[in-house]
Amino acid sequence: MVIERTAGRLPARAPTPRGLPVSAAVRLRALDGLPEPENPLAASTDDARTLSVALFARLRALDKGTPEHAYVRNTLVELNLSLVKFGARRFRGRPEPAEDIVQVGTIGLIKAIDRFDPDRGVEFSAFALPTIVGEMKRFFRDTGWAVRVPRRLQELRIDLAKASDALEQQAGHRPHRAELAERLDLTEEEVAEGELASHAYTAHSLDAPVGGEDDERAPRGTTGR
């Protein structure tokens, strides 16, 4: 799966996720003796995990903004891209294109790589998956409206839902508009506006898995392949 550098030279490498070729000199400096994955996207779970541990340690030693740092970071993205695909499986059947969901999840993966601290002793897959799925859910919240609704009304819809649930638990019945207005320190007209915004929202469960429950459990101690 990996190839060692030979006589100070490395074979040609496919473009990085950004589409820019990386010179052999940059890769040599970036890896500093570490083996280079010949095809990170096709790496096995064990190889991806082992190499990721080494590359995270190397990433910390490199200065941000340098070509070497970007190369190691992009290689980590490629090695762990299957985590994004694993996270996307729970949203099968949604109207959004699968390519868009994977693209958004990749943003979450990059954020997880930037925030990951190997010293905490946490498996990267366990750390990254919540960030990846969270980024996907944020995407669905922003695109799940039947018509364009201002952010203020989107937030009001959420506040109304929370207040309605809380008041129902206290009073034992669905709250009236006046009760919601008093709870949120709003006018009844503002509550009515928020209720109209709710009707424009395309309701999809973001937490209920679409497939079977077993599909949503990443194998323990793996990168989610």
Side-chain angles (χ1 to χ4, degrees):
M1 193 286 294
V2 296
I3 51 178
E4 306 288 348
R5 63 177 179 177
T6 304
R9 302 183 61 184
L10 290 172
R13 171 72 188 278
T16 69
R18 295 182 181 179
L20 300 175
V22 177
S23 69
V26 168
R27 284 148 47 202
L28 284 169
R29 291 193 301 268
L31 294 173
D32 193 34
L34 293 174
E36 182 191 29
E38 184 177 7
N39 185 359
L41 294 173
S44 68
T45 297
D46 290 341
D47 284 337
R49 185 194 309 116
T50 301
L51 268 176
S52 291
V53 170
L55 288 174
F56 271 118
R58 181 61 183 148
L59 191 67
R60 300 178 69 181
L62 295 169
D63 293 329
K64 293 182 179 180
T66 63
E68 292 78 12
H69 185 278
Y71 170 77
V72 172
R73 184 172 178 256
N74 288 342
T75 302
L76 281 166
V77 171
E78 291 178 326
L79 282 171
N80 294 281
L81 193 61
S82 62
L83 285 173
V84 176
K85 297 176 181 178
F86 180 86
R89 284 166 53 188
R90 69 183 299 171
F91 302 115
R92 288 173 300 193
R94 291 190 59 92
E96 293 83 359
E99 294 82 1
D100 290 352
I101 299 174
V102 170
Q103 184 175 5
V104 169
T106 302
I107 296 174
L109 173 62
I110 293 172
K111 289 181 178 180
I113 289 172
D114 290 342
R115 298 169 183 170
F116 183 61
D117 182 0
D119 291 340
R120 298 185 65 179
V122 178
E123 184 78 25
F124 176 67
S125 61
F127 175 84
L129 272 173
T131 303
I132 293 169
V133 173
E135 201 69 27
M136 293 174 179
K137 289 182 178 181
R138 188 174 298 110
F139 167 68
F140 295 140
R141 285 196 295 268
D142 291 341
T143 60
W145 296 87
V147 296
R148 183 60 183 169
V149 176
R151 172 70 64 176
R152 173 182 64 84
L153 293 181
Q154 295 182 30
E155 295 174 349
L156 177 56
R157 181 193 71 85
I158 296 173
D159 291 340
L160 284 172
K162 292 179 179 179
S164 181
D165 288 343
L167 287 170
E168 183 176 10
Q169 290 181 8
Q170 293 173 5
H173 64 82
R174 296 298 291 177
H176 302 296
R177 187 172 294 169
E179 295 174 293
L180 289 169
E182 181 180 1
R183 176 87 172 199
L184 296 173
D185 195 22
L186 300 171
T187 66
E188 291 190 36
E189 289 75 14
E190 289 172 324
V191 172
E193 189 179 18
E195 290 173 344
L196 286 175
S198 297
H199 296 156
Y201 188 72
T202 304
H204 289 289
S205 174
L206 297 180
D207 293 311
V210 177
E213 182 178 355
D214 292 340
D215 290 343
E216 309 310 317
R217 294 177 178 173
R220 182 175 298 177
T222 72
T223 57
R225 284 173 168 73

